[in-house]
Amino acid sequence: SGKGATYVFGEAGNDDVILNTGPLLAKDLIDLGAGTDTLTLNTAGNTMVLRGVENLTLTKLAIGANKINSADSAVAVTAKVAGNVVNIDGLTAGSTFTTVKDVATATAGTNLTVKFANTEAASTLTLGAGVNGTVETDKITAVTINAADILGDDTDTFTFKAATSVTINGTKDVKGVVTASATPADNKLENLTITSSEEINMGNTANVAALKTVTATATKAATLGTIDSKILTDVSVSSTTLAAKVGNISASAASTTAVNVTVAGATTAEVGTINAFAAGKLGDVNVTATKGLLTADAIKATEAGTINLTSTADSIKLLNTGIVAADTTGITENMAAAK
């Protein structure tokens, strides 16, 4: 890379090209011809024009924004991680994204950004390396993240622009805050599902316009902050060995749909105020603490299904106004506690 343009051409066969100086610029061209060809970048902040490149490897040195200006096929992107930022933009239809540790002892990466050039119906991000920072996707309608290492920390933000569905499958801790995009038209998230073989600790999730279902299932503690949407249909939080907790539900506007709430903790269980702003519609509410205290803040409803509060080995603690329902057809409340 210099004052002139750089052209790299390959022929038939499987070519491996490594770029150690650069970065690549929009005037440069990598054309590797027929075969299954791989381009490896050891430079930061590249702008790429790719032809005949099936595999793209970003090493730990390829930090900053790396953008595919154009490509004539799908590209399988692999990013090597050792405490670095990973940022890829302009992915073509059918492209895939994977991270791996640079070495077995490598530390988690910091921020992760994956963007497609045009709307992609669905894409799975396979994260073999941890992320200890923000996560952002763009133009993926259904996002799946399979994370083999830690994903985020308590205050790290996750932003899924234009996504309607997000599924996170974590082998280790999943922590962060699902935030809204600065562009209102990108806030389309309807369904959020998180599982972890260890801990889930997610902060407040705000998407008043679109969010319908939130599910969190963890082996260790499962914690969700406030879930703010007026069209929720289902909220479910559970832990198979420790506590389960969710903050306020429908915090800034009363729910206009009948939301079903399930909280199941192997030890304690806790639910914040349901319809914190004003009484709204409820479906069934099931809160179970198997080996500890069950704590429930105010439950406000203009109509409701069945409300079951169960503490198998301890007691139930109702805060503030308890259950307040104005359903003229009547509701069913079942409370059972060992103490």
Side-chain angles (χ1 to χ4, degrees):
S1 180
K3 292 183 178 179
T6 297
Y7 301 95
V8 178
F9 294 99
E11 296 183 356
N14 301 330
D15 302 318
D16 289 299
V17 175
I18 301 174
L19 182 70
N20 290 317
T21 60
L24 286 173
L25 305 176
K27 62 185 178 181
D28 302 327
L29 171 65
I30 307 295
D31 187 343
L32 300 184
T36 302
D37 306 311
T38 301
L39 172 64
T40 299
L41 300 180
N42 282 318
T43 59
N46 298 277
T47 301
M48 293 163 273
V49 177
L50 306 178
R51 299 290 181 269
V53 176
E54 287 74 32
N55 302 302
L56 174 63
T57 299
L58 306 176
T59 72
K60 64 182 179 180
L61 301 177
I63 58 176
N66 293 286
K67 181 176 178 61
I68 300 174
N69 252 16
S70 69
D72 63 349
S73 66
V75 181
V77 179
T78 300
K80 295 185 176 181
V81 174
N84 52 291
V85 172
V86 177
N87 186 324
I88 184 70
D89 190 358
L91 291 175
T92 48
S95 293
T96 60
F97 179 82
T98 301
T99 66
V100 296
K101 292 182 178 182
D102 184 58
V103 295
T105 57
T107 57
T110 53
N111 301 338
L112 172 66
T113 302
V114 179
K115 299 181 179 181
F116 275 75
N118 299 296
T119 299
E120 186 78 352
S123 186
T124 297
L125 313 186
T126 303
L127 308 184
V131 180
N132 192 2
T134 62
V135 175
E136 179 181 346
T137 67
D138 193 6
K139 295 187 176 69
I140 306 172
T141 304
V143 178
T144 299
I145 298 177
N146 294 330
D149 208 325
I150 62 168
L151 185 64
D153 204 350
D154 291 341
T155 58
D156 290 331
T157 58
F158 297 173
T159 307
F160 304 105
K161 295 180 179 179
T164 59
S165 171
V166 172
T167 301
I168 299 173
N169 302 309
T171 301
K172 296 188 178 180
D173 291 352
V174 179
K175 299 180 179 182
V177 180
V178 176
T179 62
S181 168
T183 304
D186 285 337
N187 295 319
K188 300 178 180 180
L189 184 61
E190 297 179 1
N191 305 302
L192 174 63
T193 301
I194 305 171
T195 62
S196 172
S197 299
E198 295 193 0
E199 180 183 357
I200 295 173
N201 190 350
M202 301 296 293
N204 298 344
T205 300
N207 194 332
V208 175
L211 194 62
K212 295 179 180 178
T213 69
V214 180
T215 303
T217 306
T219 299
K220 296 183 180 179
T223 303
L224 297 181
T226 291
I227 301 173
D228 199 5
S229 172
K230 61 183 180 181
I231 60 170
L232 287 166
T233 59
D234 292 280
V235 174
S236 177
V237 185
S238 62
S239 168
T240 57
T241 64
L242 293 173
K245 177 181 178 180
V246 62
N248 296 339
I249 296 173
S250 300
S252 64
S255 58
T256 58
T257 55
V259 53
N260 299 301
V261 179
T262 302
V263 182
T267 55
T268 61
E270 183 174 347
V271 60
T273 300
I274 301 175
N275 285 312
F277 178 80
K281 294 182 179 181
L282 273 180
D284 296 331
V285 177
N286 295 287
V287 184
T288 303
T290 302
K291 294 182 179 179
L293 178 68
L294 186 158
T295 304
D297 213 319
I299 299 174
K300 305 176 183 179
T302 54
E303 60 181 70
T306 300
I307 299 175
N308 296 310
L309 306 179
T310 305
S311 178
T312 305
D314 207 310
S315 56
I316 296 172
K317 183 178 182 180
L318 295 179
L319 304 177
N320 295 316
T321 55
I323 301 170
V324 179
D327 192 331
T328 56
T329 61
I331 64 171
T332 301
E333 300 175 23
N334 299 313
M335 290 188 286
K339 298 181 180 179

